[in-house]
Amino acid sequence: MNIFVGSLPFSIEEADLRESFEAYGAVDSVKIITDKFTGRSKGFGFVEMPNDDEAQKAIDELNGATVQGRAIVVNKSEPKPEGERRSFNNNRGGDSRGGYGGNNRGGDNRGGGNRGGY
């Protein structure tokens, strides 16, 4: 079972997280998510446990537990439906209509009135 672990202290290491979950059973993998530019923890991660009963026990007992002074959030990780993935279309501040044409009348600090497209 894939388990989401949130509200992690930024100083926690993957080995520490693994140790917390190994108290409930075998752990296949541990991954703390980091910022790709700074390398700093984003405060959440994932733990993969092969036995669903052991994983559920870990979730039940560790959810809300205090780790290095913070109450962590632990629950079963559910994959996002494909339609809910984050979009990287940076169309900021404006009225963007239609494929490549569109009117982008930006309202931010980069000036306004950018009209037209390709």
Side-chain angles (χ1 to χ4, degrees):
M1 176 185 296
N2 196 13
I3 303 168
F4 169 82
V5 187
S7 296
L8 289 171
F10 295 116
S11 61
I12 196 168
E13 300 285 332
E14 287 180 357
D16 300 326
L17 192 56
R18 176 180 290 275
E19 187 177 309
S20 295
F21 279 82
E22 282 179 338
Y24 300 95
V27 173
D28 281 345
S29 66
V30 175
K31 179 68 179 164
I32 293 176
I33 306 304
T34 56
D35 181 274
K36 67 180 176 180
F37 298 111
T38 66
R40 184 173 176 223
S41 168
K42 287 190 171 190
F44 69 95
F46 298 91
V47 176
E48 182 74 35
M49 295 182 75
N51 183 301
D52 287 351
D53 291 334
E54 293 172 350
Q56 189 59 55
K57 185 168 176 60
I59 290 169
D60 293 342
E61 295 194 19
L62 291 175
N63 188 35
T66 302
V67 175
Q68 296 179 8
R70 295 189 66 167
I72 62 172
V73 175
V74 183
N75 53 45
K76 183 177 179 182
S77 176
E78 299 290 343
K80 287 185 182 179
E82 195 61 36
E84 293 182 26
R85 299 234 182 243
R86 184 175 168 191
S87 171
F88 290 98
N89 182 5
N90 289 329
N91 227 346
R92 295 184 187 161
D95 179 17
S96 177
R97 297 180 188 176
Y100 290 102
N103 294 326
N104 185 357
R105 298 177 185 186
D108 57 13
N109 293 336
R110 293 182 278 169
N114 183 8
R115 303 182 99 195
Y118 289 67

